[in-house]
């Protein structure tokens, strides 16, 4: 079951904040976040395990609410380098395969 | 540390022809994945190996796609015969267990 991401696209000015959401209809074991720039392979950002933890990576952080089966990615004071498509990948409890959402395209303008 | 190696980088073929992609994962990574990424979409898992055994191939079109991972290291993905809708980027990834995935640069396939 593919997770659903929202919004599908975001356009920001440099320095603004953004939130990308990822939700699943299944109980989750973990959520992965990746960023993919045009013509390149996805690059790992962070992984969140069940337990409601929040992680950070520079000015990018994420939370995981296992009861709601949702995760959110927070980008604060966005930089031009943050532009790209963000994918969440979910691992169901008991499953072994990582299923990716359809992606959220983030555009940062100067 | 060497990354995931894939070849070729680009491939153009005509429909009904066959094509093969090669992947060499990061040393020590037991789990290897092949994803298909159609333009504008998220990666779709085709097949997942644990060592040289198949964990999941539920979305692999087995009438035309095949994959193998000999000796639990390198892997090849083959399409025979190719269809127009197979045009996509084929991404190989590897991981240590359920941890983060490391992706290769991918093979961009165009079927004419």
């Amino acid at each position: 079951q593919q997770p659903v991401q929202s919004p599908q696209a975001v356009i920001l000015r440099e320095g603004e904040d953004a939130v990308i959401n990822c939700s699943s209809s299944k109980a989750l074991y973990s959520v992965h976040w990746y960023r993919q720039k045009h013509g390149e392979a996805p690059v790992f950002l962070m992984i969140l395990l069940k337990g409601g933890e929040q992680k950070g990576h520079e000015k990018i952080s994420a939370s995981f609410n296992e009861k709601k089966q949702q995760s959110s990615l927070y980008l604060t004071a966005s930089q031009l380098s943050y532009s790209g498509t963000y994918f969440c990948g979910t691992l169901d409890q008991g499953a072994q395969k990582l299923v990716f959402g359809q992606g959220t395209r983030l555009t940062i303008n100067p | 540390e060497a990354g995931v190696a894939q070849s070729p980088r680009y491939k153009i073929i005509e429909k009904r022809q066959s094509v093969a992609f090669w992947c060499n994962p990061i040393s020590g990574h037991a789990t290897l994945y092949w994803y298909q990424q159609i333009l504008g979409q998220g990666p779709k898992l085709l097949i997942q190996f644990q060592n040289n055994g198949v964990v999941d191939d539920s979305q692999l079109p087995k009438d035309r796609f095949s994959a193998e991972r000999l000796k639990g290291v390198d892997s090849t993905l083959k399409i025979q015969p190719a269809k127009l809708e197979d045009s996509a980027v084929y991404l190989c990834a590897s991981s240590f267990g359920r941890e983060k995935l490391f992706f290769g640069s991918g093979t961009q396939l165009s079927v004419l």
Side-chain angles (χ1 to χ4, degrees):
Chain A
Q1 196 85 11
Q2 184 181 37
V4 177
Q5 289 185 233
S6 63
Q8 290 190 343
V10 183
I11 300 175
L12 299 176
R13 285 191 175 275
E14 198 173 4
E16 292 182 335
D17 301 340
V19 180
I20 300 172
N21 300 302
C22 174
S23 63
S24 173
S25 59
K26 293 190 172 184
L28 300 176
Y29 171 80
S30 66
V31 179
H32 295 217
W33 285 97
Y34 293 79
R35 177 172 60 209
Q36 185 176 33
K37 293 186 179 287
H38 183 69
E40 299 180 9
V43 173
F44 173 81
L45 292 176
M46 64 190 76
I47 181 172
L48 299 104
L49 302 176
K50 63 177 183 177
E53 65 179 294
Q54 185 153 351
K55 277 197 168 183
H57 175 76
E58 298 178 343
K59 292 181 181 178
I60 302 175
S61 62
S63 63
F64 177 25
N65 187 325
E66 60 187 274
K67 287 185 179 179
K68 292 185 177 180
Q69 295 153 201
Q70 292 176 349
S71 178
S72 295
L73 186 71
Y74 306 95
L75 300 99
T76 57
S78 57
Q79 305 169 12
L80 294 175
S81 61
Y82 288 179
S83 291
T85 301
Y86 289 77
F87 294 100
C88 69
T90 56
L91 196 63
D92 301 340
Q93 291 187 31
Q96 298 187 62
K97 65 178 184 180
L98 190 67
V99 182
F100 285 95
Q102 79 279 20
T104 297
R105 178 178 288 184
L106 177 65
T107 303
I108 310 294
N109 292 320
Chain B
E1 176 181 82
V4 176
Q6 283 190 252
S7 66
R9 186 75 177 88
Y10 303 94
K11 191 73 177 179
I12 301 173
I13 61 173
E14 294 189 350
K15 60 183 179 182
R16 290 188 291 272
Q17 286 188 322
S18 63
V19 64
F21 312 127
W22 174 82
C23 173
N24 181 246
I26 291 174
S27 177
H29 282 188
T31 311
L32 185 147
Y33 315 76
W34 282 103
Y35 282 91
Q36 178 194 59
Q37 188 174 26
I38 293 172
L39 188 64
Q41 298 182 17
K44 170 187 160 185
L45 181 67
L46 293 176
I47 188 166
Q48 179 177 333
F49 292 96
Q50 180 75 17
N51 295 308
N52 58 348
V54 175
V55 172
D56 189 287
D57 64 357
S58 57
Q59 297 198 87
L60 186 75
K62 297 180 185 65
D63 58 333
R64 299 184 300 108
F65 285 64
S66 64
E68 60 180 7
R69 189 181 184 196
L70 298 175
K71 300 181 181 178
V73 183
D74 291 11
S75 177
T76 56
L77 176 69
K78 297 179 182 178
I79 307 175
Q80 182 179 9
K83 292 185 175 182
L84 296 177
E85 59 259 36
D86 297 334
S87 294
V89 175
Y90 290 84
L91 294 164
C92 177
S94 69
S95 70
F96 185 77
R98 288 183 163 188
E99 298 178 9
K100 63 182 179 180
L101 272 62
F102 292 83
F103 285 88
S105 299
T107 296
Q108 186 169 320
L109 174 67
S110 296
V111 182
L112 307 177

